[in-house]
Amino acid sequence: DYIGANVLLEFQKQAGQTNFTNQAWLGYSAFHLGDYKKALDNYEEILLSPDADPIYNLYAACCHFYLGNYKEAQDFAQKGPANKLQNRILFHSAQRLSDETTLLKHHNKLTDSIEDQLSLASIHYLRSHFQEATDIYKRLLIEYREYLALQVYVALCYYKLDYYDVSLEILAPYLQAHPDSAIAINLKACNHYKLYDGKAAEQELKVMIDL
């Protein structure tokens, strides 16, 4: 419950009861609530301390990335420890900054971990390499069947590849488990639009209105 945690931690901070650990958790909860500016403010405040763990540079870099500050994300990431997270931030920042040399450099450092492979697949998708992205997502789905969101990613790729019926088939189990997913409902509607017509798509979108 990130909202509850955020309210409690913010209350403690306003009451002067905060400490280094609470500050870190406040940044963490704000980040997961999508308040990247608030999370960044907390991480930057932590980094003012000479005893701050350099890992907070990576957390601040993540905030900058989601705020669209790709150069700042790159700069903060380079101050952090050299690990897989740092490499992924630099990989994605290079993509956003259209820096092909740096992109390739960090591409070559990617491992077979699920986090790295998801990063690679997302870059393929952004670059319209939909078949390459599909291959990665399908491979991961076989290994991690409990990660149902992978079905949506595969369905998105098949939609982009113009395989609308296949996209619907792959999307169905996810929608059965998560019938209120706006992304999945919208994708289903897009597939119906391509396969049938606007009225069929409209019928699917009405489901969201009723939620």
Side-chain angles (χ1 to χ4, degrees):
D1 184 357
Y2 297 118
I3 294 176
N6 195 267
V7 170
L8 175 61
L9 291 164
E10 194 62 57
F11 175 80
Q12 291 176 334
K13 184 177 181 180
Q14 295 298 326
Q17 299 172 2
T18 191
N19 54 40
F20 188 86
T21 302
N22 285 5
Q23 188 94 26
W25 278 112
L26 187 56
Y28 181 87
S29 61
F31 183 89
H32 283 81
L33 287 170
D35 192 344
Y36 305 119
K37 180 64 172 66
K38 182 177 179 180
L40 177 61
D41 290 343
N42 278 278
Y43 290 138
E44 287 186 331
E45 194 172 331
I46 289 172
L47 287 166
L48 291 174
S49 170
D51 300 324
D53 190 325
I55 193 72
Y56 289 105
N57 284 292
L58 298 185
Y59 302 159
C62 290
C63 296
H64 273 298
F65 184 87
Y66 280 105
L67 288 167
N69 306 326
Y70 305 121
K71 185 65 174 70
E72 289 82 355
Q74 192 176 61
D75 293 342
F76 269 90
Q78 287 168 344
K79 297 175 188 175
N83 58 23
K84 292 178 183 179
L85 175 58
Q86 183 203 51
N87 188 62
R88 289 194 297 273
I89 296 169
L90 293 172
F91 182 50
H92 282 275
S93 297
Q95 157 67 18
R96 297 291 184 171
L97 294 168
S98 301
D99 184 345
E100 292 294 318
T101 301
T102 303
L103 180 77
L104 182 59
K105 172 186 172 184
H106 293 288
H107 182 182
N108 291 333
K109 292 182 180 180
L110 293 172
T111 69
D112 289 333
S113 72
I114 185 168
E115 296 86 357
D116 281 7
Q117 289 302 300
L118 285 172
S119 287
L120 178 57
S122 69
I123 294 294
H124 278 311
Y125 186 91
L126 287 171
R127 294 164 76 90
S128 299
H129 302 160
F130 302 120
Q131 187 59 58
E132 291 86 344
T134 302
D135 293 343
I136 294 173
Y137 288 136
K138 286 172 69 176
R139 188 176 71 247
L140 291 174
L141 191 55
I142 292 171
E143 189 173 352
Y144 302 95
R145 293 186 179 276
E146 69 276 19
Y147 292 176
L148 296 182
L150 289 169
Q151 294 172 330
V152 180
Y153 302 157
V154 175
L156 275 167
C157 291
Y158 275 118
Y159 173 81
K160 288 291 190 177
L161 290 166
D162 298 336
Y163 294 122
Y164 309 119
D165 50 347
V166 178
S167 178
L168 281 172
E169 183 181 344
I170 292 170
L171 191 62
Y174 183 85
L175 267 173
Q176 187 174 3
H178 302 281
D180 58 347
S181 169
I183 293 175
I185 292 169
N186 188 57
L187 178 56
K188 184 178 180 181
C190 289
N191 277 306
H192 277 229
Y193 178 81
K194 292 290 189 178
L195 286 169
Y196 309 114
D197 53 32
K199 282 192 174 294
E202 186 180 353
Q203 285 300 115
E204 294 303 324
L205 291 174
K206 282 181 178 178
V207 175
M208 283 198 287
I209 298 173
D210 297 333
L211 292 177

